[in-house]
Amino acid sequence: MKTLFKTDRIQGAFYGAIVGDALCLGSHYEYDAKKIYKAYGNKPIEKFMSPGEMMGGQTHGIGWGERNYHPGKKAGGTTDYGDYNILVLEHLASISKPARAFDLSVMLPHWMNRFENNWGSWICTMTKETYAQVKEGRPIESLGGISNAMAIRHVSGYAYYDDEEEIANFARKTMFTHKSEEALSGGEFFARVTFRVINGEHPRDAIENVAVVMSDFIQAKVAQAIAKVKEVEDENSDLSKEKFSDDLAITSMARLWDIGRSEPIRVGKASPTEGTLPASVYLILKYVDDVDGLNKAIQANAMVGGDNASRSIAIGMVLGAYKGLGAIKSEWLEDLEQYEYCKDLLSKLPLLHG
């Protein structure tokens, strides 16, 4: 692998996440991997899709029946996960340099304005709940709901902060709509891993080295993913022979989750950190050493379905940091709706300025 400049890795992390998210727009919240595969011509996704494109204009959701979760979005656009990362980028580009400690109170007015006037994506329950809390004057330190869904929003921070502890703190604070320690620690885990990859560690080493200094929960989820990668790479295993091996691997790592609506699903394909974290680590490690591993990993993630957009941010930023901006398919960057917009904003951040 050729030597990369740090700027290549920073941009790779950002666009790896955003491109990965945009690839999920067409199948976001569709939980049937076989349906996605058939809809996309019995092959991995090759281009950006509008919500539910090739699937009757709808995706399935979790027990709510078929619907469109991103009305008004079009191919090349992003889900709410990508939108949150772009919102945070807008904020960082607007504040003074050099980098300073992140102050959520300074970003909240921008978030409120976007939420009220130009959101354009699915609005998650935690966002609605936090918005109501801000309107009623709740103190910043008490904002957020109890959701354990992993919602990574800090990826632009690698162009702003050059310190692992600051990045870890930034990752937690930008997930201000969530109070669950599982979700916050999941975001911190991937923040630290990506920072180390940007600074030269192999993703496998970074994942293992970060896990051992974090909670038992994080360690257990990482160990689960590593074991599953070994299983799928064992040519004698049943899993390695399966056509939908990634889908089966991810669902096999999670318990059934009965949400009381129409059907139980497996948490591994939904947004809770207990499934999202090992699923993301699994896809990172499975594809990390492939010459086209970044593109294959974000393709595979989109094809699994479920809350694939949540996983896409973690997978895209870790492998993007490792492979660099040049590893991302040029046609995907060119077709990304907000590529030039984000490029301009990123160029204003301290570590990419000039």
Side-chain angles (χ1 to χ4, degrees), residues 55-349:
M55 289 185 283
Q58 298 174 319
T59 53
H60 189 277
I62 310 172
W64 280 285
E66 294 191 353
R67 59 173 290 186
N68 179 352
Y69 283 83
H70 301 284
K73 288 283 186 172
K74 61 183 181 180
T78 46
T79 77
D80 46 313
Y81 291 97
D83 287 352
Y84 253 113
N85 276 284
I86 294 172
L87 181 148
V88 173
L89 169 61
E90 291 170 341
H91 171 68
L92 290 183
S94 72
I95 59 180
S96 65
K97 288 78 175 173
R100 62 184 182 186
F102 178 67
D103 184 348
L104 177 58
S105 67
V106 178
M107 190 181 80
L108 278 180
H110 177 52
W111 174 73
M112 295 286 284
N113 180 62
R114 281 286 301 275
F115 184 76
E116 293 169 349
N117 298 299
N118 187 30
W119 192 247
S121 286
W122 165 248
I123 302 172
C124 69
T125 303
M126 294 302 99
T127 293
K128 293 177 182 176
E129 186 172 330
T130 305
Y131 174 79
Q133 292 170 352
V134 174
K135 293 291 282 186
E136 70 182 30
R138 186 83 63 88
I140 284 179
E141 58 272 15
S142 66
L143 293 178
I146 61 171
S147 172
N148 61 354
M150 196 174 72
I152 295 173
R153 301 162 180 166
H154 70 268
V155 67
S156 60
Y158 298 107
Y160 196 82
Y161 296 110
D162 198 16
D163 177 85
E164 184 176 330
E165 296 308 316
E166 285 187 309
I167 280 290
N169 176 63
F170 184 60
R172 283 178 168 266
K173 286 186 175 179
T174 51
M175 208 187 300
F176 62 96
T177 56
H178 293 58
K179 289 194 287 191
S180 162
E181 180 55 31
E182 286 188 5
L184 294 171
S185 63
E188 178 186 342
F189 168 76
F190 283 111
R192 292 182 181 277
V193 168
T194 305
F195 180 84
R196 294 186 184 202
V197 173
I198 285 173
N199 285 280
E201 280 191 37
H202 188 283
R204 186 177 295 106
D205 295 334
I207 285 168
E208 294 178 353
N209 292 338
V210 171
V212 297
V213 297
M214 295 197 70
S215 66
D216 291 345
F217 167 75
I218 296 293
Q219 292 180 40
K221 294 287 112 180
V222 170
Q224 188 180 33
I226 291 173
K228 192 58 63 174
V229 172
K230 289 180 179 177
E231 181 183 350
V232 79
E233 290 179 343
D234 179 0
E235 61 183 22
N236 295 315
S237 70
D238 291 338
L239 182 61
S240 70
K241 300 177 178 65
E242 291 285 349
K243 182 175 182 178
F244 294 90
S245 59
D246 288 337
D247 179 64
L248 291 170
I250 287 172
T251 54
S252 69
M253 288 191 286
R255 62 185 171 86
L256 283 175
W257 183 34
D258 188 350
I259 59 167
R261 286 186 166 82
S262 66
E263 81 281 353
I265 63 169
R266 289 194 177 275
V267 179
K269 294 177 71 166
S271 53
T273 306
E274 67 175 280
T276 301
L277 192 150
S280 298
V281 171
Y282 164 84
L283 287 168
I284 290 168
L285 294 181
K286 180 180 177 183
Y287 292 97
V288 65
D289 291 324
D290 189 295
V291 66
D292 195 31
L294 168 58
N295 297 313
K296 288 182 178 179
I298 58 179
Q299 277 180 309
N301 173 62
M303 298 302 292
V304 168
D307 195 357
N308 46 11
S310 176
R311 302 187 301 266
S312 72
I313 303 299
I315 297 164
M317 72 179 187
V318 172
L319 289 178
Y322 182 53
K323 302 285 188 177
L325 178 63
I328 303 171
K329 285 188 176 183
S330 59
E331 59 266 35
W332 289 349
L333 285 174
E334 292 165 3
D335 292 341
L336 188 65
E337 186 176 33
Q338 298 195 72
Y339 174 64
E340 292 295 336
Y341 176 67
C342 291
K343 182 180 178 181
D344 177 63
L345 293 176
L346 278 171
S347 71
K348 298 176 181 179
L349 302 190

